[in-house]
Amino acid sequence: MNRNQTKTVRIGNVLIGGGHPIAIQSMTNTKTADVAATVNQILRLEEAGCEIIRCTVPDEESALAIPRIKQQIHIPLVADIHFDYRLAIAAVKNGADKIRINPGNIGSRERLEKVVQTCKEYEVPIRVGVNAGSLDKAMEEKYGRTARALAESARESVRIMEEADFDNIVVAIKASNVRLCVESFRDFAKDCPYPLHVGLTEAGRVEDGTIKSALALGQLLSEGIGDTIRVSLTGDPVEEVEAAKKILSFLDIRKFGPEIISCPTCGRTNIDLIPLVQKVAEAMKPFRTPMKVAVMGCVVNGPGEAKDADFGICGGKGEGLLIRKGEIVCKVPEEKLLEALVEEAKRYEREH
């Protein structure tokens, strides 16, 4: 998959853009000033596979908490700033690895330039975060609430930073509407040299938001647009990371542990497949090696349909087949299928 060529930006110990792996981000939903709760959540997110974390900085107490949080975590911390440019400056001085500002609510050009000068001094990148919900009023009056308005708002902010001799920039243009979000990124990406942080905003609850995010991110990433992603969900942030990993994996961009393929079941199915697939999913969680695992319900969807899988099982009447790359290995009693699959996963991980 060809990706748009963008410049490399360093966020702490993570590089984005310039062909580097698409990084997975999330955002804490704790009170940032509550250091213990925030650190605990970030450590859970790290374990899930989060590579960059963003925390809101709505007050001075939150800015002052940044050093204590950073001492206890292992991934870069981004400070999320709204309205008060002084908090952006405080976050940088307290060790934030990147700041995110929304030009639509940060204030005057003079204030933005003060933030830029501080970031230049501390060599901290800025993410320009343009949101449909807080679009610059002048742009909205000129273009309406359109993709053009969002893209032009981002371009204007970037121009101001470039005029201040600053190019340590990441850009995000977000909306809760799939089409608007995709069209905005497409417009901006046509002439953008900077890494893009892609994703929907306010995507909704986990069930809906995952689907909406997959639709938007699937289009953008398939077109080579995007250097870092966040799946924005109303729920546990860990679910954002898990969804992002699946999207990247299913697009064959990055691989994260086992991928399970399974048939939808039909009248030919002679084993209790639905609960078996759930058990397989749980059993595969400890494995870290990328592998494709097939769980099929009958001989029709067996070795042939699972040919692309590294290994798997297909059901029969009271028994099933263990298969590797579409070839039958052996017959297994139905009650032993899960055990046989786990042993095969262990074998595969040892060999890879």
Side-chain angles (χ1 to χ4, degrees):
M1 185 183 297
N2 293 325
R3 286 171 58 191
N4 285 9
Q5 291 304 304
T6 56
K7 76 185 295 286
T8 298
V9 169
R10 178 180 292 277
I11 304 162
N13 60 357
V14 174
L15 298 175
I16 64 169
H20 289 92
I22 295 171
I24 295 172
Q25 302 198 26
S26 185
M27 185 172 181
T28 56
N29 57 18
T30 58
K31 300 296 183 186
T32 305
D34 185 341
V35 172
T38 302
V39 167
N40 181 62
Q41 188 171 77
I42 294 172
L43 293 177
R44 287 178 54 235
L45 287 161
E46 289 180 2
E47 177 66 23
C50 184
E51 294 163 321
I52 300 171
I53 189 63
R54 179 158 49 114
C55 301
T56 185
V57 179
D59 48 41
E60 187 176 359
E61 188 181 7
S62 298
L64 293 172
I66 291 173
R68 288 180 289 151
I69 295 169
K70 284 193 61 179
Q71 286 171 1
Q72 302 174 67
I73 65 174
H74 313 91
I75 58 177
L77 187 149
V78 180
D80 189 72
I81 310 295
H82 288 275
F83 305 112
D84 193 338
Y85 78 100
R86 293 167 299 183
L87 291 174
I89 293 170
V92 171
K93 290 183 176 180
N94 278 283
D97 295 299
K98 182 175 79 171
I99 61 166
R100 182 268 188 176
I101 58 174
N102 184 341
N105 65 33
I106 202 68
S108 65
R109 176 171 181 152
E110 180 185 4
R111 290 178 175 181
L112 180 57
E113 287 175 343
K114 286 181 179 179
V115 174
V116 168
Q117 290 305 317
T118 304
C119 287
K120 188 192 294 188
E121 179 185 348
Y122 284 79
E123 298 183 345
V124 169
I126 295 174
R127 168 152 79 91
V128 174
V130 176
N131 271 18
S134 52
L135 184 59
D136 179 79
K137 287 183 173 54
M139 291 295 174
E140 187 170 354
E141 287 173 6
K142 187 173 182 179
Y143 299 109
R145 292 178 61 77
T146 62
R148 178 73 184 278
L150 287 163
E152 287 301 324
S153 181
R155 287 190 180 100
E156 177 62 20
S157 297
V158 167
R159 275 194 291 269
I160 293 171
M161 293 180 183
E162 289 175 335
E163 287 169 6
D165 193 29
F166 186 81
D167 65 355
N168 200 4
I169 299 168
V170 180
V171 179
I173 306 171
K174 294 190 177 182
S176 59
N177 178 276
V178 172
R179 288 186 182 277
L180 179 59
C181 187
V182 170
E183 289 169 7
S184 300
F185 273 110
R186 281 177 178 156
D187 186 326
F188 188 80
K190 289 184 297 187
D191 54 8
C192 171
Y194 300 110
L196 291 175
H197 170 112
V198 296
L200 290 169
T201 188
E202 300 145 8
R205 63 197 186 112
V206 173
E207 295 86 344
D208 298 337
T210 300
I211 295 171
K212 288 174 69 177
S213 295
L215 288 168
L217 289 168
Q219 292 180 74
L220 292 169
L221 294 173
S222 293
E223 295 170 18
I225 298 170
D227 300 283
T228 179
I229 68 171
R230 180 193 174 192
V231 176
S232 175
L233 302 173
T234 306
D236 186 335
V238 167
E239 295 183 283
E240 297 186 349
V241 175
E242 291 173 349
K245 288 165 66 175
K246 287 177 181 176
I247 290 169
L248 290 174
S249 181
F250 296 159
L251 287 169
D252 290 324
I253 294 172
R254 294 180 66 184
K255 293 294 183 182
F256 303 91
E259 175 187 346
I260 298 168
I261 61 172
S262 59
C263 68
T265 76
C266 69
R268 291 188 300 267
T269 306
N270 287 313
I271 62 171
D272 201 4
L273 190 69
I274 294 173
L276 177 59
V277 170
Q278 295 299 325
K279 290 174 184 175
V280 169
E282 285 298 315
M284 292 297 114
K285 282 183 178 179
F287 295 95
R288 292 290 179 261
T289 304
M291 58 183 83
K292 187 172 284 190
V293 183
V295 186
M296 300 298 184
C298 73
V299 292
V300 173
N301 285 324
E305 294 288 334
K307 221 173 245 184
D308 292 332
D310 295 301
F311 59 89
I313 51 176
C314 61
K317 200 163 188 178
E319 62 182 10
L321 300 174
L322 179 66
I323 52 180
R324 288 181 197 150
K325 292 291 185 182
E327 299 294 327
I328 297 171
V329 177
C330 62
K331 286 185 178 181
V332 182
E334 182 176 348
E335 66 274 12
K336 298 287 187 180
L337 283 171
L338 179 60
E339 181 183 334
L341 200 64
V342 171
E343 288 304 312
E344 188 68 11
K346 290 177 181 176
R347 178 200 66 80
Y348 188 89
E349 193 160 65
R350 284 195 302 270
E351 295 178 359
H352 294 80

